[in-house]
Amino acid sequence: MSAEFRSGAVVEQWFRGRSRVLFVHAHPDDETISTGGTLAALAEAGREPLLITLTRGERGEVMAGPLQGLAQAHGLAVVRQNELKTALGMLGLERHAFLGVEPARAEGLPPVIYEDSGMAWGEDGRATTAADVTADALTSVPAIEVLNDLLAGAYLSGAQGIVSYDDGGGYGHPDHVLAHQLSRAVATALGLPFWEISSLDHEAAAADDVVDELAGDPNEEPLFEEHDVSAWFDRKVAALRAYATQLAVEGEEIVHVGGQRQAIDRVESFRLRLRD
C-alpha cells in the first residue's frame, strides 16, 4: 500500500487532527448511511463536528406500512425532521442546522426552507433530475443564495474543514451533486481543507482523475483515510433504525424503500480534495 493511503488511524488523527469539521449532507438519513460512524466517533471524542442538512427530504418515498399514514397526516418533511433528531441523538451529535436557518443563513435574511429536488433514475442506473422539480427546490433557487447560506454556516460555526460527497454526488442525485459544488466552493473561499466521501477502492478513485490538484510529493500527506468505526457501529445501526419511513435494517444491511440492499459500512472512507 502506497504512502498516500492509511487505515486504522485513531480518532484524534482523523481529518488531519482538525476539530469542528463540517459535514454537508443533502437529506435526512444521508449523514448516517455514509458518515454515521465517523460522526459518532468525533462527537464522543469531543471534536464538535457540525452537520448542515440542505433539505428536509420532502420527496422521499415512504416504506409500506403504517408510517405512510403518519407521513400523509403530518407531512413527510415533519416526520423526517423528527427522524433526523432521533438519529442525531443516537450518534451523540449536538451541532446541527438546516440550510436557510441560522446559523446557516446569510445575515439579514429571513429563514427559508429549501425543498428536496427529487430525482428520477436514468438509463445508466444513476439518479438524474426529476421532471417535476419545483420552484422552491434546492436546485431551482439561485445558486448564490444557497452558497451564501452555506458560507455563513461554515464561517459562524468555526469550521476547520468540510466533508461532503464526490463530484458525482455518490449516485448522481442532483441535491448531492450541488452539495459537493457548494461545499467545495465554500472550502476554497475560506481556505479550508475539503474531503469527499469515497469508496474503499482508492486506486480506482484516483485513476478517475486525469489531473489531480493534489498530485505531487506522495509523502507530503495521505490523500485517503479510512475510519474503522466498528466501535461505534451499534450507534450507527440505532441511528439508521430511526429512519423507518425510508429504510429497514436487517442484520448488517440496509433495505431501501425500493428494495435495494446495501451493506452497513464498518469502515468509512474519505478523500482529501483540497488542502488549506
Side-chain angles (χ1 to χ4, degrees), residues 59-173:
R59 298 286 300 271
E61 297 180 65
V62 180
M63 297 285 284
L67 291 177
Q68 289 183 327
L70 180 65
Q72 290 174 356
H74 298 283
L76 184 55
V78 173
V79 176
R80 295 197 73 179
Q81 285 181 82
N82 288 334
E83 289 179 333
L84 174 61
K85 182 178 180 180
T86 301
L88 297 186
M90 297 297 181
L91 298 176
L93 189 68
E94 297 180 352
R95 305 175 75 227
H96 171 260
F98 280 107
L99 192 71
V101 179
E102 290 186 356
R105 181 61 167 161
E107 185 178 2
L109 296 179
V112 67
I113 292 176
Y114 299 116
E115 295 181 357
D116 184 345
S117 300
M119 51 155 275
W121 288 110
E123 294 182 359
D124 60 355
R126 290 179 59 80
T128 187
T129 304
D132 58 347
V133 61
T134 68
D136 293 324
L138 180 71
T139 55
S140 297
V141 299
I144 191 65
E145 182 177 353
V146 291
L147 178 61
N148 283 336
D149 284 352
L150 187 59
L151 182 63
Y155 178 76
L156 294 174
S157 69
Q160 298 177 5
I162 301 178
V163 173
S164 193
Y165 314 102
D166 61 22
D167 56 8
Y171 63 96
H173 194 297

Side-chain angles (χ1 to χ4, degrees), residues 9-89:
V10 296
V11 177
E12 288 75 13
Q13 295 174 324
W14 291 357
F15 302 119
R16 299 166 61 194
R18 298 298 178 97
S19 295
R20 297 188 176 183
V21 175
L22 167 62
F23 290 70
V24 179
H25 281 283
H27 318 102
D29 77 17
D30 291 331
E31 81 294 326
T32 302
I33 292 172
S34 56
T35 60
T38 296
L39 286 168
L42 293 174
E44 184 178 273
R47 295 276 296 279
E48 297 185 337
L50 170 70
L51 169 66
I52 292 180
T53 309
L54 305 186
T55 79
R56 288 150 180 81
E58 297 90 340
R59 298 286 300 271
E61 297 180 65
V62 180
M63 297 285 284
L67 291 177
Q68 289 183 327
L70 180 65
Q72 290 174 356
H74 298 283
L76 184 55
V78 173
V79 176
R80 295 197 73 179
Q81 285 181 82
N82 288 334
E83 289 179 333
L84 174 61
K85 182 178 180 180
T86 301
L88 297 186

